[in-house]
Coordinates of all heavy atoms in Angstrom, one line a residue:
L411 N -17.3 32.7 20.7 CA -17.2 32.3 22.1 C -15.7 32.1 22.5 O -15.3 32.5 23.6 CB -17.9 31.0 22.4 CG -19.4 31.1 22.4 CD1 -20.1 29.7 22.5 CD2 -19.9 32.0 23.5
H412 N -14.9 31.6 21.6 CA -13.5 31.4 21.8 C -12.8 32.8 22.0 O -12.0 33.0 22.9 CB -12.8 30.6 20.7 CG -11.4 30.4 20.9 ND1 -10.8 29.6 21.9 CD2 -10.3 30.9 20.2 CE1 -9.5 29.6 21.8 NE2 -9.2 30.4 20.8
Q413 N -13.1 33.7 21.0 CA -12.4 35.0 21.1 C -12.8 35.8 22.3 O -12.0 36.6 22.8 CB -12.7 35.8 19.8 CG -12.0 35.3 18.6 CD -12.1 36.2 17.4 OE1 -12.5 37.3 17.5 NE2 -11.8 35.6 16.2
L414 N -14.0 35.6 22.8 CA -14.5 36.2 24.0 C -14.1 35.4 25.3 O -14.4 35.9 26.4 CB -16.0 36.4 24.0 CG -16.6 37.3 23.0 CD1 -18.1 37.2 23.0 CD2 -16.2 38.7 23.2
E415 N -13.3 34.3 25.1 CA -12.9 33.5 26.2 C -14.0 32.9 27.0 O -13.9 32.8 28.2 CB -11.8 34.2 27.0 CG -10.6 34.6 26.3 CD -9.5 35.3 27.1 OE1 -9.7 35.5 28.3 OE2 -8.5 35.7 26.5
L416 N -15.1 32.6 26.3 CA -16.3 32.1 27.0 C -16.5 30.6 26.7 O -17.5 30.0 27.2 CB -17.6 32.9 26.6 CG -17.6 34.3 27.0 CD1 -18.8 35.0 26.4 CD2 -17.6 34.5 28.5
D417 N -15.7 30.0 25.8 CA -16.0 28.7 25.4 C -15.8 27.6 26.5 O -16.4 26.5 26.4 CB -15.1 28.3 24.1 CG -13.6 28.6 24.3 OD1 -13.3 29.4 25.2 OD2 -12.9 28.2 23.4
H418 N -15.0 27.9 27.5 CA -14.9 26.9 28.6 C -15.4 27.4 29.9 O -15.1 26.8 30.9 CB -13.4 26.5 28.7 CG -12.9 25.8 27.5 ND1 -13.3 24.6 27.0 CD2 -11.9 26.2 26.6 CE1 -12.7 24.3 25.9 NE2 -11.8 25.3 25.6
M419 N -16.2 28.4 29.9 CA -16.7 29.0 31.1 C -17.9 28.2 31.6 O -18.9 28.0 30.9 CB -17.2 30.4 30.8 CG -17.5 31.2 32.0 SD -17.8 32.9 31.5 CE -19.4 33.2 32.1
P420 N -17.7 27.6 32.8 CA -18.8 26.7 33.3 C -20.0 27.5 33.8 O -19.8 28.6 34.3 CB -18.1 25.9 34.5 CG -17.0 26.8 34.9 CD -16.6 27.6 33.7
G421 N -21.1 26.9 33.7 CA -22.4 27.5 34.2 C -23.2 26.4 34.8 O -22.9 25.2 34.8
R422 N -24.4 26.8 35.2 CA -25.4 25.8 35.8 C -25.8 24.7 34.8 O -26.1 23.6 35.2 CB -26.6 26.5 36.3 CG -26.4 27.4 37.5 CD -27.7 27.9 38.1 NE -28.5 28.4 37.0 CZ -29.4 29.4 37.1 NH1 -29.5 30.0 38.3 NH2 -30.1 29.7 36.1
M423 N -25.8 25.1 33.5 CA -26.3 24.1 32.5 C -25.2 23.6 31.6 O -25.4 23.1 30.6 CB -27.4 24.8 31.7 CG -28.6 25.2 32.4 SD -29.9 25.9 31.4 CE -29.2 27.5 31.0
G424 N -24.0 23.7 32.1 CA -22.8 23.2 31.3 C -21.9 24.4 30.9 O -22.1 25.5 31.4

Side-chain angles (χ1 to χ4, degrees):
L411 291 173
H412 179 72
Q413 287 188 18
L414 294 172
E415 298 180 3
L416 295 173
D417 48 347
H418 296 297
M419 190 171 125
R422 290 188 315 214
M423 297 183 286

